[in-house]
Amino acid sequence: MKDIASRPPHRGRPIYGAKLGIIILDTRFQRFVGDIGNAETFRFPVQYSVVSGISLGADLTPDGETLQVFYRAMDDLVARGVDGISTSCGFLAIMQPHLTARSPVPVASSSLLQIPMLQRMLPSNKQVGVVTAKKPALTPEHFAGVGVDFNGPIAGMSLEGYFRANLVSGNPRIDFARQEAEVLDTVRTFLTESPNIGALVFECTNLSPYSAAVEREFGIPVYDVITMLDWFHAGLSPRRYR
């Protein structure tokens, strides 16, 4: 039998060793380690393609012009050699069917993709709770975009809070501790109001730097875009055991 290591690659590519590509919004706010937009977050190399001129994903709709911008970014990443694509905003779940219809490689657009698996894993008396950057903007269409039937509890970060202000203003110098405290306060209220939540999913990719603090404070599993991409990449580049 021919040794696997001697087989040629599945396709030629200009860049090797970075199998995950990320379509990232055109932002300027500080992205801490743990954020999808900080390359030091990952235990493996990633490639980025910026969608110029699009900075906030919450209010995007999959119209023709917007889709063309994302298609160009996707095509750029595929041409560079990635084997899987993600995006830097959970609200881009609404783009999922459009991206997969065009992409030659798998696409994981949003952390919301994890919800169906978690719903089936939790004890029958528990449910998934979603924390989002902008609750009024998270619609059934976003869940439908990733094939999720969800009617569980949703909490949003304050629209007048420090976290939201930093995203909107593009603040390049964010107080990490202050932002973490706001996330913890939001989750504390959420869990008090919905005590049967058994796991949290963070819609917003900018919340993932605070996942560990939330789990440590409340003892509840937290799933975010990074937990999804760790899993996604494990299939793109499986661990070798021998």
Side-chain angles (χ1 to χ4, degrees):
M1 180 180 293
K2 188 175 182 181
D3 183 73
I4 292 176
S6 67
R7 294 177 183 172
H10 295 295
R11 62 186 172 98
R13 62 195 77 200
I15 300 172
Y16 283 77
K19 293 192 171 186
L20 177 63
I22 299 168
I23 299 173
I24 192 161
L25 299 180
D26 191 2
T27 64
R28 295 296 180 270
F29 55 79
Q30 185 175 7
R31 291 179 178 269
F32 297 104
V33 174
D35 189 295
I36 193 173
N38 187 320
E40 293 183 354
T41 294
F42 298 96
R43 293 173 286 185
F44 44 83
V46 298
Q47 300 189 56
Y48 292 97
S49 185
V50 179
V51 282
S52 298
I54 300 178
S55 60
L56 293 174
D59 301 317
L60 286 179
T61 57
D63 60 72
E65 184 176 346
T66 300
L67 284 173
Q68 289 304 315
V69 176
F70 280 88
Y71 289 161
R72 286 194 291 272
M74 185 174 64
D75 292 346
D76 173 48
L77 289 168
V78 171
R80 286 195 245 158
V82 305
D83 290 326
I85 290 173
S86 187
T87 80
S88 70
C89 179
F91 281 102
L92 296 179
I94 203 167
M95 303 284 190
Q96 177 79 23
H98 302 278
L99 297 179
T100 54
R102 167 72 178 267
S103 176
V105 300
V107 178
S109 65
S110 172
S111 61
L112 301 179
L113 282 161
Q114 298 169 105
I115 292 175
M117 179 172 64
L118 292 172
Q119 287 177 324
R120 286 159 178 78
M121 291 169 59
L122 289 176
S124 59
N125 63 338
K126 296 291 184 179
Q127 62 181 334
V128 175
V130 172
V131 181
T132 177
K134 189 177 181 183
K135 185 176 179 180
L138 188 58
T139 68
E141 287 72 27
H142 291 93
F143 292 104
V146 288
V148 176
D149 180 15
F150 185 73
N151 58 3
I154 300 173
M157 299 298 295
S158 171
L159 298 181
E160 290 78 39
Y162 183 67
F163 178 85
R164 180 68 185 168
N166 288 328
L167 298 188
V168 173
S169 68
N171 185 2
R173 300 289 292 178
I174 295 173
D175 184 332
F176 183 92
R178 181 180 175 186
Q179 193 149 277
E180 180 179 83
E182 184 177 325
V183 174
L184 291 173
D185 285 345
T186 299
V187 172
R188 182 177 294 107
T189 300
F190 190 31
L191 296 179
T192 300
E193 294 174 347
S194 303
N196 64 334
I197 291 176
L200 294 171
V201 171
F202 284 170
E203 166 276 318
C204 180
T205 63
N206 312 120
L207 289 172
S208 51
Y210 313 105
S211 294
V214 169
E215 188 281 329
R216 186 168 57 247
E217 180 76 12
F218 304 108
I220 190 169
V222 182
Y223 298 88
D224 54 36
V225 70
I226 305 305
T227 63
M228 180 185 73
L229 293 183
D230 282 345
W231 170 85
F232 189 37
H233 185 267
L236 301 178
S237 185
R239 177 182 171 186
R240 298 187 67 175
Y241 297 95
R242 55 179 297 176

